[in-house]
């Protein structure tokens, strides 16, 4: 299925790019911009972004790497209470 009509990017292209990026760097944060870049394309109208992200989310490889999870301080942790 074509997800991005401006660039003729299919759901398979997106999922393959996500898998490739995860295999190449297990600790990378995968963003739509990085997927476009990996495919050698650039977004044009942006009309596909929600579907593009939805397609990315179907990949098991999209998750945030464990070493980068929970880095944000919890509420009140540094509030000096
Ligand atoms: S449809 Fe994807 S950038 Fe236009």
């Amino acid at each position: 299925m074509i997800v991005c009509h401006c660039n003729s990017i299919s759901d398979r292209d997106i999922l393959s790019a996500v898998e490739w990026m995860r295999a190449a760097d297990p600790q990378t944060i995968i963003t739509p911009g990085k997927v476009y870049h990996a495919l050698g394309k650039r977004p044009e109208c942006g009309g596909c972004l929600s579907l593009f992200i939805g397609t990315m989310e179907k990949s098991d490889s999209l998750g945030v790497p464990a070493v980068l999870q929970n880095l944000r301080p919890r509420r009140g942790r540094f509030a000096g209470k």
Side-chain angles (χ1 to χ4, degrees):
M1 174 183 80
I2 294 295
V3 174
C4 176
H5 292 274
C6 291
N7 291 295
S8 297
I9 297 174
S10 71
D11 55 344
R12 286 181 172 199
D13 295 332
I14 294 168
L15 294 172
S16 295
V18 170
E19 297 291 329
W20 175 81
M21 292 170 73
R22 179 61 66 219
D25 184 355
Q27 297 187 0
T28 192
I29 301 291
I30 300 173
T31 64
K34 287 183 178 179
V35 173
Y36 270 105
H37 186 76
L39 294 171
K41 317 257 181 175
R42 294 185 342 180
E44 293 181 28
C45 74
C48 62
L49 194 56
S50 62
L51 182 57
F52 198 97
I53 292 170
T55 303
M56 289 174 61
E57 289 174 340
K58 291 179 182 173
S59 173
D60 293 334
S61 299
L62 184 64
V64 175
V67 296
L68 299 177
Q69 292 181 2
N70 300 319
L71 294 178
R72 181 181 292 177
R74 296 179 193 268
R75 257 188 149 173
R77 183 174 174 188
F78 298 108
K81 293 182 180 177

